Amino acid sequence: MSTKALPSEEEILRGRKLGGSVKADLYVLEDNLVAKKNHWFKDHSHREFKNINFVKANTTISVPEVHGVVDSKDGKTAWLIMDYIPGESLRSLWKGLKEDERSEIAEILEEWFTQLHTIPPPSPPYFGSLDGEPLPPDIFCLPPREGLNRRAKEPPMAPDGSGPLPEPWFDRNGPFFSQEEYNKALYLRANEWDSCQWGILDHLMDTHWKGHQPVFTHGDISRGNIMVERITKDTRTSGDSPRFKVTLIDWEGAAWYPEYHDFCYPMVTYCNGRNWRNILARILRPYWEQAATFHYASESLFQSTRRGDFCGDRPEPTPYTGFDDE
């Protein structure tokens, strides 16, 4: 248990701001600390704090050392306080790595995800977040109703006019106690964007999304969420110490998902090059048919990203700059 005193929000904002991303702000503080605020939902920071501690207690995966959560004064977001992770993201280093260096990092990740995916599931098993909570809202956010723009600063009104909808503005994200329930929720979510999916997506789900167990997943295995610090530049031979210290970050989306989720999500949601996809197929058990189904569903599930309607107030995305063939 961390004994470090948590900073106030005022102290956080006096820190040095890092680049951040479309979904989070990062500030470097004194005492080698970092504060991370998610733009979308307050509970993401609390969720990530809980997930990291769970992974640390059940695996040997290298994760950030987290110290606590500081709620923002406006009550809408929160700051996760953790240790600074030295090094660079695997995305930044990827093109400059030799094949044997990529292979070394892949070996580490393969061992970690084997550990993660073999954590005993809860009893009774379910698809959801820790402690029986709903799944993260990322792919279960509902689209706007009655022309609602999700960028609105104020919560939308309930359809019956009884008052504003409680935050977060989504539902139907579980927990689910069968894969049939999980599939139905995603199916309905997809069809709210595109009714042309009727008859096709349900067939694919019935064929390829059945009989899978819940496993604890990271939820967002991109190279940007893998921090790498080079320890030595020496050429590696069999039995040598590792040349890299690897840390897996960004655990806010971790949950009990169907066993194929960690493979499918990065396969269809990023412009990942062929070499990285080959690495994914090595470090994870491949689920190609399930990935194809997820790809078809994602054409509707992620229309919100393309159309600019979000479950929360989110900045403009970074313009597309080309396909990464590596």
Side-chain angles (χ1 to χ4, degrees), residues 33-106:
L33 295 179
V34 169
K36 173 185 174 183
K37 180 179 74 171
N38 189 283
H39 293 305
W40 295 353
F41 296 113
K42 177 179 179 178
D43 74 333
H44 274 20
S45 295
H46 292 274
R47 182 193 306 273
E48 185 168 11
F49 178 74
K50 183 189 294 186
N51 286 341
I52 288 176
N53 282 322
F54 176 79
V55 171
K56 188 176 180 180
N58 288 278
T59 72
T60 62
I61 296 172
S62 177
V63 295
E65 184 71 29
V66 290
H67 302 287
V69 178
V70 176
D71 290 336
S72 62
K73 284 191 173 181
D74 62 13
K76 295 181 179 180
T77 55
W79 298 89
L80 175 65
I81 309 301
M82 54 190 166
D83 283 353
Y84 177 81
I85 304 296
E88 298 180 65
S89 72
L90 185 56
R91 177 186 294 134
S92 300
L93 295 174
W94 187 252
K95 290 186 177 182
L97 293 174
K98 300 175 182 178
E99 284 302 316
D100 66 308
E101 294 175 324
R102 293 179 178 183
S103 182
E104 179 181 336
I105 294 170

Side-chain angles (χ1 to χ4, degrees), residues 1-22:
M1 193 70 178
S2 174
T3 58
K4 283 192 176 183
L6 298 180
S8 66
E9 187 170 34
E10 290 80 4
E11 291 172 321
I12 292 172
L13 295 175
R14 287 199 295 268
R16 176 171 61 88
K17 187 174 182 180
L18 294 177
S21 68
V22 295

Side-chain angles (χ1 to χ4, degrees), residues 268-288:
V268 304
T269 54
Y270 302 106
C271 289
N272 284 313
R274 285 189 296 268
N275 287 337
W276 176 242
R277 292 188 178 193
N278 289 338
I279 294 290
L280 286 175
R282 169 183 167 180
I283 67 177
L284 303 169
R285 177 183 172 184
Y287 289 91
W288 295 110

